[in-house]
Amino acid sequence: MRTRPLKVALLGCGVVGSEVARIMTTHADDLAARIGAPVELAGVAVRRPSKVREGIDPDLITTDATALVRRGDIDVVVEVIGGIEPARTLITTAFENGASVVSANKALLAEDGAALHAAAEKYGRDLYYEAAVAGAIPLVRPLRESLAGDKVNRVLGIVNGTTNFILDKMDTSGAGYSEALDEATALGYAEADPTADVEGFDAAAKAAILAGIAFHTRVRIGDVHREGITEVTAADIASARRMGCTVKLLAICERAADGASVTARVHPAMIPLSHPLASVREAYNAVFVEAEAAGQLMFYGPGAGGSPTASAVLGDLVAVCRNKLGEATGPGESAYTRLPVSPMGEVVTRYHISLDVADKPGVLAQVATVFAEQGVSIDTVRQQGKDGEASLVVVTHRAPDAALSGTVEALRKLDTVRGVASIMRVEGE
């Protein structure tokens, strides 16, 4: 074993960063044995130096992150500060000054991953980011390495614990969205400002990263169709239950049947209770990967939190340190297919549409005619009426999203349709 330690700079010392530092200290001997050399925490960049950080030598604390990554003796920079800047500049500066990088920054990788990979390749450094996608769940490395010889056709999963907790509580307790969000906030599953989670931004960033790796093409967050869960109602949950389904916020990345394009989308969807993802409860994550040779693979576990995310960071740290000792680098960006990302209008799926209609003869015939004129085939219809008002629930066969949009627009023009109460996609069949 080499006695000279590999030096690690830590950018950020919040929930995740503090756990990374703790594990590096408490498991130092095990990490050294696994790597083949000791690892040493050489500096910790923070915004508030006066805060007490138990177990971390105060002499390691600095507010000058730029000076830390420019030192020249740093072997690996661990970036857990998040956001676009200054993280992007700090990572590229680390590459320029001889360090490889381990990051948990999904927003930056989804926005500018290609440029970061190019910088890593230019300077012969590693860029690892297992923790950016699903916390402790090993997903990036299996896609980049274990399935490198296979052809991945679909990635489908729950990649945001906050929204899964909210939807699970709405399903199991009958609570409305606001009540479930309040409970998630009280338990620490939701931030004070939950926008990134509940509006789907967090899941969309992860979908962009997963699609890029799975399909060997460049997918940015702007390419991902995004819908959040704020419009999901207790009535939607109850309607799903009557169909033998539950509602989940899904990230779905698919290769077109002809292999000429890919799609990436995040939105709420009904899935059958028989589907394995339907049983994913609380704040857990789970991802299905469908590959040509391997078939269906499922990855499940805690998708967020200090310890789970730190576990993924440390796994990357061990791999990068081993590469350093072997004077090698791990896999970089693979974007050779250059597949275009198709717009949401071309995505084909099933739909659950709830309409408020007049309770009188001929309404169903009018509605059915609109669907037929738009080329959307109806699977099932359920109608309930009382005192001149009625609800009509239509479940379609698979159809392009653009055709569904035209159908809804035409339905709203019918004088017998009072309103479109909800529209939700049906997946997992």
Side-chain angles (χ1 to χ4, degrees):
M1 178 185 292
R2 193 180 86 165
T3 57
R4 184 170 64 82
L6 292 161
K7 295 188 176 183
V8 178
L10 179 61
L11 307 183
C13 197
V15 174
V16 176
S18 59
E19 276 297 292
V20 170
R22 182 189 67 80
I23 295 172
M24 283 185 65
T25 301
T26 58
H27 295 179
D29 291 342
D30 285 338
L31 291 173
R34 293 166 190 172
I35 292 168
V39 287
E40 173 188 309
L41 189 59
V44 182
V46 300
R47 286 185 297 176
R48 295 186 296 275
S50 59
K51 181 180 177 181
V52 176
R53 294 172 172 85
E54 188 176 346
I56 298 178
D57 184 347
D59 290 340
L60 296 178
I61 301 296
T62 179
T63 57
D64 194 343
T66 301
L68 179 60
V69 299
R70 280 181 173 168
R71 274 177 36 174
D73 64 337
I74 300 297
D75 294 290
V76 185
V77 169
V78 174
E79 183 271 309
V80 288
I81 56 177
I84 305 300
E85 287 292 356
R88 174 167 48 198
T89 299
L90 291 170
I91 288 174
T92 54
T93 302
F95 292 146
E96 292 168 3
N97 287 271
S100 289
V101 173
V102 173
S103 176
N105 196 331
K106 53 188 170 285
L108 177 57
L109 288 158
E111 177 65 32
D112 213 16
L116 294 178
H117 277 292
E121 183 177 4
K122 176 181 178 181
Y123 293 101
R125 315 300 177 208
D126 272 327
L127 174 61
Y128 276 49
Y129 44 90
E130 184 68 69
V133 175
I137 304 173
L139 193 56
V140 171
R141 191 171 289 116
L143 284 172
R144 285 210 303 188
E145 300 177 33
S146 303
L147 295 173
D150 207 339
K151 181 181 181 182
V152 176
N153 291 316
R154 193 172 194 234
V155 179
L156 166 74
I158 298 164
V159 295
N160 182 272
T162 300
T163 52
N164 198 59
F165 179 90
I166 292 170
L167 292 173
D168 182 45
K169 288 303 173 185
M170 292 175 70
D171 185 33
T172 57
S173 70
Y177 168 76
S178 296
E179 296 170 84
L181 173 59
D182 287 344
E183 184 175 354
T185 303
L187 292 172
Y189 292 129
E191 302 286 347
D193 179 1
T195 303
D197 293 320
V198 300
E199 293 293 356
F201 290 101
D202 174 84
K206 295 170 180 176
I209 295 169
L210 290 174
I213 299 170
F215 307 133
H216 303 277
T217 194
R218 287 178 178 170
V219 180
R220 299 180 66 184
I221 190 169
D223 298 320
V224 181
H225 174 82
R226 175 193 54 79
E227 299 172 29
I229 66 167
T230 56
E231 301 300 319
V232 177
T233 66
D236 293 328
I237 302 292
S239 189
R241 194 178 298 114
R242 285 192 290 270
M243 287 178 57
C245 294
T246 189
V247 177
K248 299 292 185 182
L249 183 73
L250 298 179
I252 305 170
C253 311
E254 295 178 302
R255 188 191 300 268
D258 62 4
S261 64
V262 299
T263 60
R265 50 195 165 104
V266 168
H267 54 70
M270 295 180 179
I271 58 173
L273 293 174
S274 58
H275 194 284
L277 288 178
S279 62
V280 179
R281 310 292 298 277
E282 300 274 323
Y284 278 76
N285 286 190
V287 177
F288 257 89
V289 176
E290 298 177 11
E292 210 163 79
Q296 290 188 336
L297 307 171
M298 183 172 174
F299 301 83
Y300 170 85
S307 293
T309 305
S311 172
V313 169
L314 267 297
D316 279 350
L317 178 64
V318 169
V320 170
C321 286
R322 286 171 175 169
N323 290 344
K324 278 276 185 180
L325 290 180
E327 298 182 347
T329 55
E333 183 188 32
S334 176
Y336 71 92
T337 63
R338 296 182 176 86
L339 295 174
V341 182
S342 297
M344 187 63 188
E346 297 178 12
V347 172
V348 176
T349 189
R350 298 179 66 208
Y351 298 88
H352 175 282
I353 305 167
S354 180
L355 305 171
D356 295 326
V357 299
D359 186 16
K360 62 182 184 181
V363 173
L364 180 56
Q366 286 185 329
V367 169
T369 297
V370 168
F371 276 87
E373 290 174 346
Q374 297 294 325
V376 179
S377 177
I378 294 175
D379 182 16
T380 62
V381 177
R382 185 176 70 251
Q383 184 172 6
Q384 293 179 321
K386 184 179 180 181
D387 299 329
E389 297 295 329
S391 64
L392 192 65
V393 176
V394 179
V395 179
T396 75
H397 288 288
R398 290 172 63 83
D401 190 83
L404 189 279
S405 298
T407 302
V408 171
E409 185 177 346
L411 287 170
R412 288 190 167 118
K413 294 178 181 178
L414 295 177
D415 57 6
T416 53
V417 175
R418 310 295 193 215
V420 179
S422 69
I423 304 170
M424 192 168 294
R425 295 170 184 86
V426 181
E427 298 283 349
E429 294 184 309

